């Protein structure tokens, strides 16, 4: 099926069962509002924007609680950070409106916001020190490695459960694996798997800070930890293979040249030679430059995170919505999200920024549409643009879509 990208597995997985074994009875699970409330308590964030400067000043004093070396921090197990959170769309209809789209299914952008908040709370749970009500760490999202969906529709009237835990730890970074399930006929069935990478920084979010090491306890956990290490190495390889640093491979050069020959206008006028500048669009195709949509957001205090920067989940939601609109207008039918890939958070977005978003169809195949969303902040004083994020979304359209064709080398 179109959703073969997602490895269907019965969740809770073996690991999830291991992590929850030892809990007795059926405790009442926290919901997403409690997740955000806990995050504010852990950091000591202000609930009023006018108090945010004072709240950040108070955080400076937490510098003394930072570890000088990672070895000074007690190791943690995967089950120490395991959390389950409920989104009670079925049992509490009053929260449904916020999650509803016009097609009467759940807005995926809202799910991205919830995953981001949960990922941060899982990391704070991993790094929690006894006798310290407030954490000296600023934990922020560095990137979304992968989100794979195995359901086309997320229903707006059935409870959702999120589960997750820290799956790999470096010196200052943590990988978090999360799963989302939805209740149907008394059973929770899988909807998506997500892998986020979070980084720990000092109380003022200026320098990296050490986090507790992670100790796998079983062969399954060792396998998961090993995969986290491989993911890290893959990201390093990918960043060094950037076209800005390395020439394309022989295979890539051939692809580029084939596209070029396929779009060359070979009609001769008299004796003249073919002009490289004269290009023609192949049938049932669209020039890449004609498959763009742009958007603008004014970043208000309402969208701030616990560190008084713009909440990463809000940025993801806005980018996703523009990506969806780009795919919708390109395919002329309703697109469904299949996968989210390689979301890089390159710099924080300050409250008050003008955020410029640019959606671009960058690859198509049959019913699939790949959209890249580039976000940048514009500083009205200096008139400078700075990239903050790059997002990649893969959608499937109801109908086969035209092929997108690049016109320039870029």
């Amino acid at each position: 099926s179109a959703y073969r990208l997602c490895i269907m597995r019965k969740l809770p997985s073996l690991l999830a069962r291991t992590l929850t074994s030892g809990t007795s009875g059926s405790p009442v699970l926290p919901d997403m509002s409690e997740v955000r409330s806990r995050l504010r308590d852990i950091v000591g964030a202000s609930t009023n924007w006018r108090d945010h400067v004072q709240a950040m000043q108070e955080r400076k004093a937490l510098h003394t609680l930072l570890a000088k070396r990672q070895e000074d921090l007690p190791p943690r197990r995967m089950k120490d950070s395991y959390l389950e959170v409920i989104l009670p769309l079925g049992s509490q209809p009053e929260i449904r409106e916020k999650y509803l789209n016009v097609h009467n299914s759940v807005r995926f952008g809202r799910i991205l916001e919830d995953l981001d908040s949960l990922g941060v709370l899982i990391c704070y749970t991993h790094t929690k020190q006894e006798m310290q009500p407030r954490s000296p760490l600023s934990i922020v999202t560095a990137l979304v490695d992968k989100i794979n969906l195995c359901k086309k529709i997320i229903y707006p009237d059935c409870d959702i459960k999120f589960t997750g835990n820290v799956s790999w730890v470096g010196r200052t970074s943590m990988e978090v694996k999360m799963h989302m399930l939805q209740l149907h006929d008394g059973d929770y069935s899988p909807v998506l798997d997500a892998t986020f990478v979070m980084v720990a920084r000092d109380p003022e979010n200026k320098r990296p800070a050490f986090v507790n090491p992670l100790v796998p306890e079983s062969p399954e956990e060792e396998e998961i930890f090993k995969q986290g290490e491989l993911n890290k190495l893959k990201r390093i390889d990918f960043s060094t293979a950037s076209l800005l640093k390395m020439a394309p491979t022989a295979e890539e050069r051939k692809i580029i040249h084939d596209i070029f020959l396929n779009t060359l206008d070979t009609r001769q006028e008299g004796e003249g030679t073919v002009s490289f500048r004269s290009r023609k669009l192949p049938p049932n195709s669209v020039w890449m430059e004609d498959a763009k949509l742009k958007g603008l957001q004014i970043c208000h205090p309402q969208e701030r995170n616990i560190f008084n920067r713009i909440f990463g989940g809000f940025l993801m939601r806005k980018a996703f919505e523009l990506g969806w609109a780009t795919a919708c207008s390109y395919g002329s039918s309703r697109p469904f999200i299949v996968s989210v890939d390689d979301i890089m958070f390159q710099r924080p977005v300050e409250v008050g920024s003008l955020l410029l978003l640019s959606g671009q169809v960058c690859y198509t195949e049959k019913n699939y549409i790949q959209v890249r969303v580039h976000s940048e902040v514009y500083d009205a004083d200096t008139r400078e643009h700075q990239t903050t994020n790059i997002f990649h979304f893969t959608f499937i359209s109801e109908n086969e879509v035209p092929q997108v064709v690049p016109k320039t080398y870029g």
Side-chain angles (χ1 to χ4, degrees):
S1 88
Y3 288 84
R4 63 189 182 279
L5 295 168
C6 182
I7 301 164
M8 287 293 284
R9 59 175 179 267
K10 189 78 177 156
L11 283 174
S13 63
L14 175 64
L15 174 65
R17 282 203 299 278
T18 311
L19 296 177
T20 47
S21 62
T23 54
S24 56
S26 302
V28 177
L29 296 178
D31 62 15
M32 288 315 300
S33 62
E34 197 173 325
V35 166
R36 294 189 174 104
S37 168
R38 278 193 204 175
L39 284 172
R40 278 194 295 273
D41 291 343
I42 288 167
V43 174
S46 62
T47 47
N48 293 316
W49 171 244
R50 64 176 179 271
D51 301 330
H52 76 282
V53 175
Q54 184 192 339
M56 296 317 280
Q57 283 297 327
E58 287 169 7
R59 273 193 65 72
K60 278 187 188 179
L62 298 173
H63 263 284
T64 55
L65 301 175
L66 291 173
K68 302 283 187 289
R69 308 176 310 153
Q70 188 178 34
E71 294 72 25
D72 297 338
L73 293 165
R76 297 278 196 255
R77 302 163 301 175
M78 287 190 188
K79 65 172 133 194
D80 293 335
S81 62
Y82 181 80
L83 289 181
E84 290 189 358
V85 171
I86 202 85
L87 179 58
L89 296 177
S91 44
Q92 292 181 24
E94 63 275 12
I95 66 167
R96 214 174 282 165
E97 191 86 351
K98 177 184 168 185
Y99 285 85
L100 204 60
N101 66 26
V102 71
H103 302 288
N104 201 35
S105 61
V106 167
R107 293 167 61 184
F108 183 68
R110 289 287 187 207
I111 299 300
L112 288 174
E113 289 185 322
D114 289 347
L115 287 170
D116 194 50
S117 295
L118 179 61
V120 174
L121 183 59
I122 286 169
C123 289
Y124 274 120
T125 307
H126 173 83
T127 56
K128 182 173 173 20
Q129 305 298 343
E130 294 306 320
M131 313 302 291
Q132 284 181 17
R134 287 200 177 163
S135 174
L137 299 176
S138 301
I139 293 173
V140 293
T141 309
L143 65 96
V144 177
D145 208 357
K146 177 76 81 176
I147 301 175
N148 277 339
L149 287 94
C150 32
K151 289 277 167 74
K152 217 173 180 181
I153 304 282
I154 304 171
Y155 297 98
D157 52 0
C158 301
D159 283 3
I160 284 170
K161 183 160 72 176
F162 296 97
T163 68
N165 60 280
V166 172
S167 51
W168 173 86
V169 169
R171 291 175 71 72
T172 61
S173 59
M174 294 164 278
E175 181 188 88
V176 179
K177 287 214 177 293
M178 291 174 281
H179 309 287
M180 176 176 145
L181 309 97
Q182 188 156 38
L183 190 62
H184 292 290
D185 303 325
D187 269 332
Y188 278 102
S189 58
V191 176
L192 65 78
D193 297 331
T195 306
F196 280 48
V197 177
M198 308 291 184
V199 292
R201 307 189 45 92
D202 68 10
E204 295 177 82
N205 197 3
K206 288 183 176 172
R207 276 179 286 283
F210 294 117
V211 296
N212 302 64
L214 183 67
V215 182
E217 288 190 299
S218 66
E220 290 86 11
E221 291 188 7
E222 279 166 17
E223 204 49 51
I224 288 163
F225 191 89
K226 210 183 293 174
Q227 188 57 54
E229 192 64 40
L230 289 173
N231 290 346
K232 176 197 163 189
L233 295 172
K234 230 182 282 176
R235 286 191 293 271
I236 292 169
D237 287 348
F238 185 74
S239 67
T240 54
S242 160
L243 270 179
L244 301 174
K245 299 173 188 171
M246 260 174 83
T249 63
E251 186 191 3
E252 288 167 340
R253 286 199 297 272
K254 185 180 183 320
I255 291 168
I256 292 168
H257 194 63
D258 286 350
I259 292 171
F260 172 67
L261 291 179
N262 200 29
T263 58
L264 207 54
D265 191 351
T266 53
R267 290 171 300 183
Q268 302 288 334
E269 288 186 17
E271 291 297 305
T273 55
V274 174
S275 165
F276 275 17
R277 284 193 303 276
S278 185
R279 309 282 290 284
K280 67 174 182 10
L281 192 61
N284 193 33
S285 300
V286 175
W287 287 124
M288 199 181 264
E289 64 189 27
D290 297 328
K292 281 183 181 173
L293 270 187
K294 297 201 174 206
L296 164 73
Q297 287 295 321
I298 299 171
C299 299
H300 295 292
Q302 181 192 1
E303 312 301 346
R304 74 191 187 281
N305 64 13
I306 48 180
F307 307 113
N308 293 303
R309 301 277 188 27
I310 293 301
F311 170 45
F314 170 77
L315 299 174
M316 284 196 272
R317 173 163 66 86
K318 287 298 172 186
F320 168 76
E321 288 171 353
L322 181 67
W324 185 90
T326 306
C328 184
S329 61
Y330 184 86
S332 302
S333 65
R334 179 185 176 187
F336 296 89
I337 184 74
V338 175
S339 179
V340 180
D341 244 329
D342 299 332
I343 296 180
M344 291 173 284
F345 288 79
Q346 296 183 8
R347 65 178 67 238
V349 177
E350 302 293 340
V351 171
S353 300
L354 294 182
L355 185 73
L356 305 169
L357 295 163
S358 178
Q360 166 82 73
V361 175
C362 54
Y363 184 72
T364 53
E365 191 175 302
K366 297 179 181 166
N367 290 36
Y368 288 98
I369 305 170
Q370 179 93 37
V371 179
R372 176 186 190 269
V373 178
H374 176 253
S375 90
E376 58 185 2
V377 283
Y378 172 67
D379 188 319
D381 296 330
T382 62
R383 300 200 168 185
E384 284 182 344
H385 293 253
Q386 288 188 313
T387 297
T388 59
N389 300 75
I390 297 168
F391 306 83
H392 295 90
F393 302 104
T394 306
F395 295 93
I396 186 166
S397 189
E398 288 173 317
N399 309 313
E400 196 157 316
V401 299
Q403 190 176 2
V404 75
V405 182
K407 204 178 210 175
T408 65
Y409 182 78

